[in-house]
Amino acid sequence: MTSDEAGGPSPVRVVIIDDQHLVRQGIQALLALSSHVTVVAEADDGQTGLAAIEEHHPEVVLLDLRMPRMSGLEMLRVAGVRGIDLPPVLILTTFDDDDATFEALRLGARGYLLKDVTLKQLVESIETLAS
């Protein structure tokens, strides 16, 4: 967590990248219940996600692995090839796919959670990655 102009903690800036609109809205609505996190942008695939990251400079990225056009894994690969310095990436997935998860971690993701996580666990994970 960073500090605001008054010296108090300011919310962690987050970008959500997930192809399912309802999932993005649901995560954003849940995170809005926490004063510790603010969603600065959302994207529906890795390509628009990279653009959102470059435009909004989040402190943490929540990334789905399986998306059409450009998957989360492909986004991590492209970022590495282009030398894009990503903020800490937290994989959010519905699939318990060890191979894809390990590949995402190898490509630079800092952690992963299944989408059945509680709001408290998600916020704590975001705060940990931001610090």
Side-chain angles (χ1 to χ4, degrees), residues 61 63 65 72-73 75-77 86-92 100-113 129:
V61 173
L63 179 64
L65 288 181
L73 285 176
M75 187 196 96
L76 292 169
R77 281 189 198 101
L86 294 176
V89 173
L90 180 63
I91 301 299
L92 279 180
T101 301
F102 290 136
E103 179 68 6
L105 294 171
R106 189 188 70 73
L107 291 169
R110 299 277 180 89
Y112 81 96
L113 294 171
L129 287 180

Side-chain angles (χ1 to χ4, degrees), residues 73-123:
L73 285 176
E74 186 62 23
M75 187 196 96
L76 292 169
R77 281 189 198 101
V78 167
V81 168
R82 292 185 187 167
I84 298 170
D85 189 24
L86 294 176
V89 173
L90 180 63
I91 301 299
L92 279 180
T93 185
T94 55
F95 301 99
D96 194 4
D97 181 347
D98 290 342
D99 291 337
T101 301
F102 290 136
E103 179 68 6
L105 294 171
R106 189 188 70 73
L107 291 169
R110 299 277 180 89
Y112 81 96
L113 294 171
L114 295 177
K115 287 182 181 174
D116 66 352
V117 67
T118 67
L119 175 59
K120 180 181 178 190
Q121 291 169 319
L122 180 58
V123 170

